[in-house]
Amino acid sequence: MRIVIAGGHGQIALRLERLLATRGYEAAGIIRRAEQGDDLREVGAEPILLDLESAAVEDVAAYLQGAGAAVFAAGAGPGSGAARKDTVDKGAAVLFANAAVRAGVRRFLVVSSMGADPRHEGDDVFDVYLRAKGEADAYVSGLDALDWTILRPGSLTDDPGTGFVRLEAHTGRGPVTRDDVAAVLAELLETPATAGLTLELIGGSTPVSVAVKSVAGN
């Protein structure tokens, strides 16, 4: 199965691409700069050069044709201003979701953020970020043509993954390693019964596969 990941050079995306490649999937990551391509090839993924801030939905849909799933893991990143929170964290997510619908890709995962809320108040950059993420989540969850799952990790760390997490509708705040986020995403992709769920994720004591099966009702 081919899986296309928006934000393919991100820290979570690169980890996910490596995991998917080792599991036998055909992973492809959308990147903005050609020089990022070698990093994707190194983890076994195909780079797709495309700027989601300027691309048309038809352009994105063309790369999604034939894919079995799509993952939105893009973000404006730390240091970016409020305007790019709107164009990337919200706008690119909406574009990618619309492209998935057009290409007939039903399975759709979103890497969101703990605290994302379209009604979040405030004008600081982080407030705008949480609101943009919340608006994107609300848009995706309103699309009947997608079998969506929204994952909202807690504070991200670069510590080695533990393989143990807490994955629930509401976990409360806490840290989680990027390794473990990628592992959960890979497991969610293999668990279609998690469609329609918005889940929070922090470090915990439950093995990743067990945690995902639990929220899927298995």
Side-chain angles (χ1 to χ4, degrees), residues 157 159-166 176-181 183 202-208:
T157 78
D159 297 332
T162 67
F164 294 89
V165 297
R166 183 179 175 192
V176 63
T177 72
R178 288 180 171 87
D179 285 346
D180 288 332
V181 175
I202 58 175
S205 57
T206 305
V208 166

Side-chain angles (χ1 to χ4, degrees), residues 27-167:
I30 296 174
I31 56 175
R32 295 181 65 219
R33 297 196 298 274
E35 61 267 24
Q36 297 171 333
D38 285 344
D39 291 334
L40 272 72
R41 284 184 280 266
E42 187 177 320
V43 298
E46 171 201 344
I48 296 171
L49 188 60
L50 187 68
D51 187 347
L52 291 176
E53 287 183 272
S54 59
V57 67
E58 296 84 0
D59 300 328
V60 185
Y63 287 107
L64 284 165
Q65 289 292 337
V71 181
F72 185 80
S80 59
R84 294 201 68 229
K85 306 305 182 191
D86 191 60
T87 58
V88 178
D89 293 287
K90 177 187 174 183
V94 168
L95 171 71
F96 197 56
N98 288 339
V101 172
R102 181 164 298 200
V105 180
R106 289 203 62 92
R107 191 70 174 114
F108 194 89
L109 269 58
V110 177
V111 182
S112 184
S113 176
M114 188 84 69
D117 185 346
R119 297 172 300 280
H120 184 87
E121 297 182 354
D123 297 318
D124 290 341
V125 172
F126 192 65
D127 295 322
V128 175
Y129 167 76
L130 290 177
R131 192 159 54 245
K133 279 292 194 185
E135 289 169 348
D137 292 353
Y139 184 85
V140 169
S141 63
L143 294 174
D144 293 336
L146 295 181
D147 295 329
W148 53 268
T149 303
I150 294 168
L151 184 65
R152 293 177 170 172
S155 53
L156 299 169
T157 78
D158 286 324
D159 297 332
T162 67
F164 294 89
V165 297
R166 183 179 175 192
L167 179 69

Side-chain angles (χ1 to χ4, degrees), residues 8-22:
H9 193 258
Q11 296 183 67
I12 290 172
L14 285 169
R15 289 166 166 85
L16 176 60
E17 288 153 2
R18 186 188 296 276
L19 275 177
L20 293 175
T22 61

